[in-house]
């Protein structure tokens, strides 16, 4: 447990302010602890910036600003006015004139951005090592990767530096680092959050995600940043009810193919047992069609969407890019516009074939990642080690689904093991409700800890105070 | 008026059978009149085929088969079991083993397919001249084009050979030939009809369309073929109510730029006056954003979707293709997969910018085409003359809208002038309801004729017996 910091959750921060603490003192102390050599950060708030933030806070009514004075971090592919956006590529840095929609909403709620976090360059990776700002180590064991691409955001939340941070998730970047650092990783339905001011990775698939120590905090932040902006595609994705059935049917992989050397099978079996004890019926499914969808993302024309996002740079000065990221994105040159349409047809056909799955199960329950490599292993096999991590995350956004990654226990060696639930698009709130049941079961087991063993969880950590939108319950009367 | 044929509408055919006529006699006589040199046909039912159809009719209960014994034609890019599909490219012909979904629905209703019709090759064109099976002349003046790509289907309906025919419409192929031949052209909302068994032009945009002499017949056929099939993308497009406001606001082009040499301005002014007399408020709009959408279709990466549809042929034996169609589709080679994604972003941005238009107007009212070239003019400038025809049709499917093309009167020289209404996707039935009001006004003027001056319209021709699906009227009570 970290003895220097007892302000971990949103409630901790609110309680401190309610008890008379001043943001100058609390945030000033926090800034003093941010190390310039910490690879989780690309940029940190300085004392001059803090004064600007304090002046802004003075204009807000704390009673109407639920995150008044609460610090947060944002992945450095998300714009914040006054901060350069680098996407971990200094040559591509630019100075945005406006906050991203999600940042604007948090700042309007009184939250204070204290830093921009490191990432796999252009959000291309699941490891957290593809950055000139350094490899982000795992918060439990520095020999292992943090996971990516939202590596820094996960790291600073797991260590209790900020209560929450924004990431982005295209292929798993908001879930894999949550799993590797014992965090809640909220991955909304694609297109339900406004994406203006977020540098695209694959623009049609990207979502902003939330890392938090507790489900309650993640839910509150998700509710605050929920909703489209003026750049959102029309129509908005449909909503679904805020609950799963009392005894949900959960699809699990018939062959999970977990890393037995790491001992991933034990926490997975434990997770299955916990879900059954909560009333879930586990239905083994053949995941082959889902893996075929996933293959489109890097082996098909969608990689051209990453190319489209960095086209000018990759054609002008490819040498400034991370070599692995350059190698991955350069694959796009193989694909024609006709290939892009063919890929879209293939995805539509797979989506149709997969849709009846939701008649058989209410959600999928999967290991967040099937393995967890060391930094050395990734250095040796940068593409293969990375690809293995996306097994249970890559297909989700292509199919417009919602996901929630939760801490699922630990391996015998003490590495975190993550469990993710996936549901049809719009069922974000239903996943949260199920997550609450899961967290309460873990709490009852007596050894649930927050982040990088910051403290034992308490009952209030598993409470859901707010949720993203869901369908209202309607009584329908057909009158004509 | 055609003295040899008094069976024009669905009701005419049903009445004849109700009065004791036999399909052997009526259809046999019809087949005898189908000329082997008529460029509207690519294939015609022969006597052996008729016997098979008669045997099939004998298994159907006429009381339960609303189109029992009624002949129809289908554009030759729509599969019918037993008929080759050529798409006007004999080298690409194949023998389908199953009916297209729409053909299967019509055959189940008792309709008899009597021929496959000519088209601009691979449905690429709006002229009706790009076919090795011959140029289809206009049914009013053989010096002028029929319009395309559904040239043959329009021709055989306008001449009263069949009461209705199926076309397809990607960029206007179901509307332009309707306008040029004094027909109703029903262009459904993209993706509301199942497209299995229809050879793609631009697969993401194509719809099956209906040509008929009367709105009542078009509505009945549209209702019969309505609904998705197992190949339809999910989710189905949303539905809208079955009516426009009593006094609809209709957007009209601020600068219609009509062909004044042909005298198109007079019937357009007349059409505007008729709409106003029906209670419509005409709102001049700047169509520039709509034209920017249209530019994506042929000047942007969507042409690669046509390439994807004929890729194998165009790479193997381009010399077998119509030279103009080859030239158009070959443009696709300029576009990369990244360009395809960029095009999609541009379309999404334009769609967002255009959506607020529907707060200002309930529908658009446009000339179906702004000009009408002769066959000789098209031969001289095959691409430019064609492009000019799509001014008011090209943008519609890219924006997911519904359209209904109706006869709108005649030029001083006696050429038909078409008017098209466009509404948000799902408003297909609302356009029909407006069309009914329009047709009744034209009927009241006393000189409304069906097709190629087959006969004067009667009150029953303007009745809507059936409609495609619309939203039920719901009373919503929020209870939770």
């Amino acid at each position: 447990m970290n003895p220097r910091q007892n302000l971990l959750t949103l409630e901790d921060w609110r309680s401190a302010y309610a008890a008379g603490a001043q943001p100058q003192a609390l945030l000033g102390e926090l800034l003093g602890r941010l190390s310039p050599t910490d690879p989780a950060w690309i940029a940190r708030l300085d004392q001059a910036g803090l004064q600007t933030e304090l002046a802004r806070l003075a204009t807000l009514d704390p009673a109407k600003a639920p995150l008044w004075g609460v610090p947060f971090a944002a992945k450095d592919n998300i714009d914040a006015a006054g901060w350069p956006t680098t996407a971990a590529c200094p040559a591509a840095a630019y100075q945005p004139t406006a906050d991203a929609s999600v940042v604007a909403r948090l700042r309007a709620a009184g939250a204070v951005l204290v830093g921009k976090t490191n990432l796999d360059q252009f959000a291309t990776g699941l490891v957290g090592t593809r950055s000139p700002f350094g490899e982000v180590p795992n918060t439990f064991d520095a020999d292992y990767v943090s996971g990516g691409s939202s590596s820094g955001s996960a790291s600073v939340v797991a260590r209790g530096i900020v209560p929450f941070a924004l990431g982005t998730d295209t292929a798993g970047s908001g879930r894999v680092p949550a799993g590797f650092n014992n965090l809640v990783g909220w991955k909304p339905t694609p297109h339900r959050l406004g994406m203006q001011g977020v540098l695209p990775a694959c623009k049609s698939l990207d979502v902003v995600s939330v890392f938090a120590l507790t489900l309650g905090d993640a839910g509150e932040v998700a509710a605050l940043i929920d909703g489209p902006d003026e750049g959102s595609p029309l129509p908005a994705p449909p909503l679904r009810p805020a609950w799963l059935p009392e005894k949900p049917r959960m699809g699990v992989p018939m062959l999970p193919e977990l890393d037995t050397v790491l001992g991933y099978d034990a926490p997975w079996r434990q997770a299955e047992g916990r879900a059954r004890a909560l009333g879930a019926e586990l239905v083994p499914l053949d995941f082959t069609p889902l893996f075929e969808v996933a293959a489109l993302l890097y082996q098909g024309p969608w990689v051209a969407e990453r190319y489209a996002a960095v086209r000018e740079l990759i054609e002008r000065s490819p040498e400034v890019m991370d070599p692995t990221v350059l190698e991955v994105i350069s694959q796009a040159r193989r694909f024609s516009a006709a290939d892009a349409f063919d890929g879209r047809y293939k995805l539509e056909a797979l989506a149709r074939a997969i849709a009846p799955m939701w008649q058989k199960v209410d959600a999928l329950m999967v290991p967040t990642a099937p393995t967890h490599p060391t930094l050395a292993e990734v250095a040796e096999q940068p593409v293969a080690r990375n690809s293995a991590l996306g097994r249970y995350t890559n297909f989700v956004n292509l199919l417009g689904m919602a996901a929630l990654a939760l801490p699922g226990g630990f391996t015998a060696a003490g590495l975190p093991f993550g469990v993710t639930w996936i549901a049809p698009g719009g069922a974000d709130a239903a996943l949260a409700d199920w997550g609450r049941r899961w967290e309460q079961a873990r709490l009852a087991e007596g050894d649930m800890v927050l982040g990088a063993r910051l403290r034992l969880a308490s009952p209030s950590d598993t409470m859901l105070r707010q949720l993203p939108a869901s369908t209202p319950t309607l009584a329908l009367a057909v009158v004509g």
Side-chain angles (χ1 to χ4, degrees), chain A:
Chain A
M1 308 287 160
N2 181 339
R4 292 180 305 173
Q5 171 64 299
N6 56 6
L7 300 182
L8 296 177
T9 65
L10 298 184
E11 289 299 345
D12 291 342
W13 281 89
R14 281 192 280 248
S15 300
Y17 289 128
Q22 293 301 311
Q24 164 91 60
L26 294 189
L27 295 173
E29 192 270 341
L30 184 152
L31 297 190
R33 283 187 289 118
L34 301 187
S35 162
T37 61
D38 182 347
W41 297 111
I42 287 180
R44 291 155 290 118
L45 192 66
D46 59 18
Q47 288 297 333
L50 176 60
Q51 296 315 310
T52 308
E53 287 295 302
L54 294 174
R56 191 175 65 81
L57 284 182
T59 69
L60 296 175
D61 176 355
K64 293 179 182 163
L67 300 185
W68 193 87
V70 175
F72 77 105
K75 186 175 179 179
D76 201 21
N77 60 347
I78 302 175
D79 288 349
W83 303 70
T85 303
T86 70
C89 183
Y94 61 91
Q95 195 74 36
T97 54
D99 287 340
S101 300
V102 289
V103 170
R105 288 169 190 170
L106 291 169
R107 281 179 154 176
V112 176
L113 182 67
V114 299
K116 301 290 294 290
T117 57
N118 204 352
L119 64 152
D120 287 311
Q121 192 175 76
F122 297 120
T124 296
L126 292 172
V127 283
T129 64
R130 301 172 173 177
S131 169
F133 296 98
E135 301 184 335
V136 179
N138 189 267
T139 56
F140 282 75
D141 183 334
D143 285 346
Y144 285 83
V145 299
S146 59
S149 62
S150 312
S151 50
S153 284
S155 175
V156 298
V157 175
R159 287 182 283 150
I161 299 173
V162 287
F164 74 93
L166 299 179
T168 61
D169 186 316
T170 304
S173 292
R175 291 162 278 165
V176 170
F180 287 173
N181 294 281
N182 197 40
L183 295 176
V184 176
W186 189 299
K187 203 289 302 165
T189 297
H191 305 304
R192 70 174 287 158
L193 306 190
M195 294 294 288
Q196 283 207 329
V198 180
L199 191 73
C202 283
K203 191 176 176 182
S204 69
L205 303 176
D206 304 332
V207 297
V208 165
S209 72
V210 177
F211 295 100
L213 295 167
T214 74
L215 185 62
D217 285 1
E220 186 172 339
V221 174
L224 274 168
I225 64 175
D226 201 15
D229 62 23
E230 58 189 23
S232 295
L234 299 171
L239 297 175
R240 288 174 183 263
W243 51 80
L244 295 182
E246 184 59 27
K247 292 180 181 301
R249 299 160 304 164
M250 289 185 171
V252 292
M254 201 172 274
L255 296 169
E257 301 192 44
L258 294 168
D259 189 327
T260 50
V261 176
L262 281 179
Y264 262 29
D265 34 352
W268 175 245
R269 273 198 309 272
Q270 192 185 10
E272 289 192 317
R274 191 181 292 118
R276 282 201 191 92
L278 284 166
E281 178 198 350
L282 302 190
V283 182
L285 294 181
D286 178 1
F287 272 46
T288 306
L290 299 167
F291 297 151
E292 286 177 44
V293 169
L296 292 172
L297 198 58
Y298 290 105
Q299 295 156 39
W302 265 265
V303 74
E305 202 166 16
R306 295 185 188 264
Y307 189 94
V310 298
R311 183 199 291 257
E312 203 258 329
L313 181 75
I314 204 170
E315 290 175 0
R316 174 171 48 85
S317 11
E319 72 286 354
V320 304
M321 289 175 62
D322 175 272
T324 308
V325 171
L326 177 64
E327 178 188 336
V328 169
I329 298 183
S330 295
Q331 302 296 321
R333 292 211 175 86
R334 294 192 287 127
F335 297 102
S336 70
D339 294 333
F341 283 106
D342 282 338
R344 181 171 161 181
Y345 308 150
K346 193 166 175 193
L347 174 59
E348 283 174 1
L350 284 164
R352 276 196 308 275
I354 289 164
M357 177 178 80
W358 298 124
Q359 310 303 316
K360 283 192 284 188
V361 296
D362 303 299
L364 301 178
M365 173 175 163
V366 296
T368 300
T371 181
H372 189 171
T374 62
L375 294 166
E377 286 166 342
V378 170
E380 202 175 320
Q381 293 185 286
V383 173
R385 288 289 183 176
N386 186 90
S387 297
L389 298 184
R391 185 170 182 81
Y392 296 112
T393 55
N394 281 345
F395 60 83
V396 175
N397 283 6
L398 280 161
L399 293 167
M401 296 170 177
L404 179 62
L406 291 179
F410 295 90
T411 66
L415 280 174
F417 178 83
V419 182
T420 292
W421 286 268
I422 300 164
D428 308 70
L431 288 178
D433 188 62
W434 166 261
R436 177 188 53 78
R437 292 164 65 184
W438 171 266
E439 296 271 68
Q440 287 173 353
R442 289 197 66 231
L443 186 75
E445 293 166 15
D447 55 356
M448 178 178 169
V449 294
L450 301 190
R453 303 194 181 281
L454 299 170
R455 68 163 165 77
L456 279 171
S458 69
S460 70
D461 294 329
T462 67
M463 282 182 198
L464 275 171
R465 300 178 298 274
Q466 276 188 281
L467 285 172
S470 54
T471 44
T473 306
L474 291 180
L476 298 185
V478 177
V479 299

